[in-house]
Amino acid sequence: MPSIKAAIIGFGTVGEGVYKIVNEKRQQLKQHTGYSIEIASILVRDVNTKRAVAPSVLVTDSIDDILNDPEIDIIFEAIVDEEPAYTYLSQAIEKGIHIITANKKMFAKHGPALLKHAEFRDVQVGFEATTAGGIPIIRTIENLLAGDRVHRVQGILNGTSNFILTAMRDEGVTFEEALHHAQKKGFAEADPTDDISGSDAFYKLMVVSSLAFDEQPEWEEVSVVGIDHIQTDDVLEASKAELRYRHVAEIRIDDEGKLSGKVGPVLLDAEHPFYAIDGVDNAIIVETDYLGKLTLIGPGAGMYPTGSAMVADLVHIIRQLKPVPVLS
Ligand SMILES: NC(=O)c1ccc[n+]([C@@H]2O[C@H](COP(=O)([O-])OP(=O)(O)OC[C@H]3O[C@@H](n4cnc5c(N)ncnc54)[C@H](OP(=O)(O)O)[C@@H]3O)[C@@H](O)[C@H]2O)c1
């Protein structure tokens, strides 16, 4: 049976999730793709940390060990920040290696360049995990674009913010207490700045914008507001009036083709599909010319939801590699 050799860049929550799923679902992946998938190497910062990986896997702190291995077909990238992720993935594309990323901060800015470079080098790029974790929003929009036109996307794209707003309403706790609770449960990063300032939702919105509209608005023209100024009293008052605070990212295109986006807290009534979305879940509404409104709800983060989105990209890429039968 033919085999695919893959490397994982970053072995934190997401990278380890990919490793576990590929190993746990080895047989199923073989059946679905016709290939045996092997994780050959893993890049980390600290090689001395003990990792639960098979002895045959090379754990390294040198990207050259991966990029100079002629047998690597695919790289899963799950590190943080724009750099060195962008440089590593550019180098991988240059060498003809397919890439799959979860790194929304990097991809919001450099996704268009990476996609162009990949097209030129005839390699595939998977980025489902950059936006809304396990919700297959990227593939859904790609499918819709084949015969429809997207004109608006709205989303609860940051599970930490939604968890905090839910806890403030249900438990009457302060913003700080709710944030601490989210960190204890592992939902928020040790540095939660991007989550609570709205930046994380903004990056995801820009990834969606590039895909749905083939462009992004000027970043400085998008209003980005977080939830850190919201008081528990505001949330409880709203709740009495049967309204709920939700942190919503929205991008739309008008009839003249002008894009506009905004990210921030809004008050919604029970008629809105986002009213019922509590806790760490994400939700996205896609509006199109023919389909109307489509709402997707699901886990927006976490080891297995995000890992599974990356493995779904792997399966999609492998299927693209197979020769397409010619219909007569
Ligand atoms: N967590 C989620 O649920 C989630 C969901 C969707 C998308 N994402 C995105 O996925 C990416 C990874 O998130 P995570 O939560 O898995 O992060 P994490 O738990 O902090 O893990 C990061 C991993 O990357 C490694 N790393 C960081 N910088 C590196 C560098 N310069 N060179 C080599 N290795 C490096 C770290 O190595 P050491 O172990 O040696 O420190 C660690 O293994 C981020 O871009 C994040 O935005 C996360």
Side-chain angles (χ1 to χ4, degrees), residues 10-14 44-46 51 78-80 84 102-104 129 301-302 306:
F11 202 69
T13 306
V14 176
V44 290
R45 266 180 310 215
D46 179 4
R51 322 263 173 183
I79 59 177
V80 283
N103 186 340
K104 73 236 31 177
T306 313

Side-chain angles (χ1 to χ4, degrees), residues 66-295:
I66 292 173
L67 294 175
N68 292 335
D69 178 349
E71 294 196 336
I72 296 293
D73 305 293
I74 293 194
I75 285 179
F76 294 95
E77 185 260 317
I79 59 177
V80 283
D81 288 331
E82 282 174 36
E83 288 294 357
Y86 175 52
T87 301
Y88 291 170
L89 294 187
S90 301
Q91 290 170 336
I93 291 172
E94 199 53 32
K95 287 185 175 271
I97 299 171
H98 305 288
I99 59 167
I100 296 172
T101 181
N103 186 340
K104 73 236 31 177
K105 189 170 184 176
M106 180 280 300
F107 205 74
K109 185 153 171 203
H110 300 294
L114 285 175
L115 287 166
K116 220 167 161 185
H117 187 184
E119 195 180 355
F120 183 68
R121 287 280 168 214
D122 201 20
V123 306
Q124 304 284 320
V125 180
F127 56 100
E128 184 71 72
T130 57
T131 306
I135 300 178
I137 183 61
I138 300 300
R139 194 89 61 237
T140 300
I141 292 178
E142 276 173 355
N143 289 344
L144 287 169
L145 289 173
D148 203 342
R149 187 186 72 108
V150 175
H151 52 254
R152 185 181 185 209
V153 180
Q154 269 188 309
I156 293 178
L157 299 179
N158 185 265
T160 305
S161 296
N162 207 52
F163 176 88
I164 291 171
L165 292 173
T166 306
M168 287 166 81
R169 187 194 75 226
D170 283 355
E171 296 156 34
V173 292
T174 63
F175 170 83
E176 287 74 19
E177 286 165 339
L179 172 59
H180 184 61
H181 194 178
Q183 285 173 314
K184 259 178 62 185
K185 286 198 161 224
F187 300 144
E189 305 287 327
D191 177 2
T193 313
D194 280 359
D195 288 328
I196 61 175
S197 67
S199 299
D200 178 81
F202 168 77
Y203 296 136
K204 293 166 179 168
L205 191 70
M206 292 304 102
V207 172
V208 166
S209 180
S210 289
L211 176 65
F213 306 114
D214 208 18
E215 61 176 321
Q216 297 180 2
E218 293 298 329
W219 282 23
E220 54 281 6
E221 285 177 14
V222 179
S223 160
V224 180
V225 180
I227 57 160
D228 39 350
H229 62 286
I230 295 180
Q231 305 288 320
T232 309
D233 283 350
D234 302 334
V235 174
L236 296 176
E237 277 302 308
S239 186
K240 272 190 219 148
E242 298 191 0
L243 296 170
R244 288 182 181 172
Y245 275 100
R246 294 293 180 222
H247 188 257
V248 175
E250 174 176 331
I251 184 93
R252 65 197 306 167
I253 194 160
D254 68 17
D255 292 342
E256 278 75 49
K258 177 153 176 40
L259 272 184
S260 55
K262 59 183 176 187
V263 178
V266 289
L267 276 171
L268 300 176
D269 65 22
E271 298 290 306
H272 197 285
F274 292 168
Y275 183 85
I277 310 301
D278 274 342
V280 284
D281 270 353
N282 280 194
I284 303 182
I285 303 170
V286 185
E287 292 183 34
T288 79
D289 289 351
Y290 300 132
L291 184 70
K293 282 189 187 184
L294 171 73
T295 304

Side-chain angles (χ1 to χ4, degrees), residues 315-327:
V315 172
H316 185 73
I317 287 175
I318 295 173
R319 286 184 175 154
Q320 304 276 102
L321 301 180
K322 288 193 170 171
V324 180
V326 179
L327 301 175

